[in-house]
Amino acid sequence: MAAPARSVAASLLRSQISRSAVASITRQTSKRSFSSILPSRPSRSTIPTTIRPLRPLPAVFSQRRTLFIQTEPTPNPDALKFIPGLPVLPPKSASIEYTDGRKTTNSPLARSLFQLDGVQSVFYGPDFITVTKTPDSHWQWLKPEVFALITEYLNNGAPVVTGDIIENEDTAPQDGDSEVVSMIKELLDTRIRPAIQEDGGDIEYRGFTDAGMVLLKLRGACRTCDSSTVTLKNGIESMLMHYIEEVKGVTQVLDQEEEIAIKEFEKFEANLAKLKGNDAVPKTSGPHGIDAVA
């Protein structure tokens, strides 16, 4: 009976050894399989102690802001107001007007605009550009070209005017100003000028006479508008006379070149009337004509 007992014990011992060996092999296999899948844990020496800041994106990824230029009509059908949504002139600068392409040496943008067929004048306001066309041209063809030039130039970030820019000094307080002149300047600067700029133009104070007349010059879209006389009389003159009793009226002042142009045009009309007699073209001396602003 002893031999069978020893054989049974030996069989049990072999089966126990085989089960423990299988379990050991299984545990080792599991460790190898998981270690091949899971990343190794970094040591303390490899863990960074500080967080590096993010590097800026290269210049190739930066995008430049695209302008969205709006256009607004003015009381003058031959003038259109372009609003780029950013300042056109530096703060406190006087408005700038170009009526001749030969005088645009300090403004590459104005020089490019005058190269377009049909552009008559270019006016720079604080945050807008007014372009006036000739009466025989059409906005349908001219507007896209003006729009493209302004967009391309302002997107480059270059100033519209190079060199020194005159500050807005016509309504600035002066030491010799009387109380009436100070009130006129303040009213022009705070109430009248913003309204004129909304129409794509501007005004320039030229003086106050002993007879109570305020001397003003209309610029931009208002300068060549048929309703400029109405603007002076019904708008500016009425407001000044309402608030300042010393003001008796408003007179528009013309530059020497404009006076010469008007006189030459009057001579042309007079010669035309002599040649054609009763069939001559009627004069422009009506309430909204050129002669009405003289």
Side-chain angles (χ1 to χ4, degrees):
M1 296 295 293
R6 282 196 301 267
S7 61
V8 172
S11 176
L12 291 175
L13 180 59
R14 284 195 300 271
S15 62
Q16 184 68 30
I17 293 174
S18 61
R19 282 196 295 268
S20 61
V22 171
S24 176
I25 294 172
T26 303
R27 286 195 298 268
Q28 293 178 3
T29 305
S30 300
K31 288 181 180 181
R32 285 196 298 269
S33 61
F34 281 107
S35 63
S36 62
I37 297 174
L38 297 178
S40 60
R41 179 179 298 178
S43 61
R44 291 182 179 271
S45 60
T46 60
I47 299 177
T49 56
T50 58
I51 300 176
R52 295 182 180 178
L54 295 176
R55 295 182 179 179
L57 290 176
V60 69
F61 292 103
S62 60
Q63 294 183 354
R64 186 168 51 189
R65 179 178 179 267
T66 303
L67 291 178
F68 179 71
I69 300 179
Q70 296 179 330
T71 57
E72 290 184 359
T74 68
N76 184 357
D78 290 332
L80 195 60
K81 183 179 177 183
F82 295 82
I83 306 173
L86 50 80
V88 175
L89 296 176
K92 298 182 180 180
S93 299
S95 57
I96 302 175
E97 185 174 18
Y98 300 95
T99 57
D100 190 349
R102 294 170 294 181
K103 298 181 179 180
T104 59
T105 55
N106 64 336
S107 178
L109 175 59
R111 184 164 58 251
S112 299
L113 290 172
F114 268 100
Q115 293 176 358
L116 299 177
D117 187 18
V119 173
Q120 188 176 36
S121 66
V122 178
F123 178 82
Y124 294 149
D127 56 356
F128 64 90
I129 300 173
T130 299
V131 177
T132 304
K133 68 177 183 63
T134 56
D136 57 344
S137 58
H138 301 280
W139 281 122
Q140 181 180 0
W141 315 111
L142 186 59
K143 178 180 175 181
E145 296 180 345
V146 174
F147 186 89
L149 278 179
I150 294 177
T151 302
E152 180 181 1
Y153 190 86
L154 294 183
N155 267 331
N156 293 331
V160 297
V161 179
T162 59
D164 297 333
I165 300 178
I166 301 175
E167 293 187 358
N168 193 8
E169 298 179 350
D170 62 321
T171 54
Q174 303 293 334
D175 295 337
D177 289 346
S178 63
E179 182 180 358
V180 175
V181 172
S182 298
M183 290 190 296
I184 292 174
K185 288 183 176 180
E186 183 178 359
L187 194 60
L188 289 174
D189 203 26
T190 58
R191 298 290 300 274
I192 298 176
R193 172 166 282 157
I196 299 296
Q197 290 179 347
E198 286 292 327
D199 290 337
D202 202 352
I203 55 172
E204 184 177 343
Y205 173 76
R206 292 291 184 90
F208 181 65
T209 66
D210 296 335
M213 300 299 293
V214 178
L215 306 180
L216 299 176
K217 176 175 175 53
L218 293 176
R219 308 180 67 186
C222 301
R223 182 178 60 85
T224 57
C225 182
D226 291 338
S227 60
S228 59
T229 304
V230 178
T231 301
L232 284 173
K233 297 300 180 181
N234 295 349
I236 301 175
E237 183 179 85
S238 299
M239 181 176 292
L240 289 173
M241 293 177 63
H242 175 76
Y243 288 101
I244 306 173
E245 60 181 5
E246 289 83 358
V247 175
K248 306 302 180 182
V250 174
T251 300
Q252 181 177 1
V253 178
L254 300 177
D255 291 334
Q256 184 177 3
E257 296 177 356
E258 294 174 334
E259 292 178 354
I260 294 175
I262 290 177
K263 291 179 180 179
E264 292 296 328
F265 190 74
E266 289 177 349
K267 292 180 182 179
F268 171 76
E269 286 185 329
N271 294 332
L272 190 63
K274 291 180 181 180
L275 292 175
K276 293 189 176 182
N278 296 330
D279 297 331
V281 178
K283 293 185 176 183
T284 59
S285 57
H288 306 301
I290 293 178
D291 299 338
V293 301

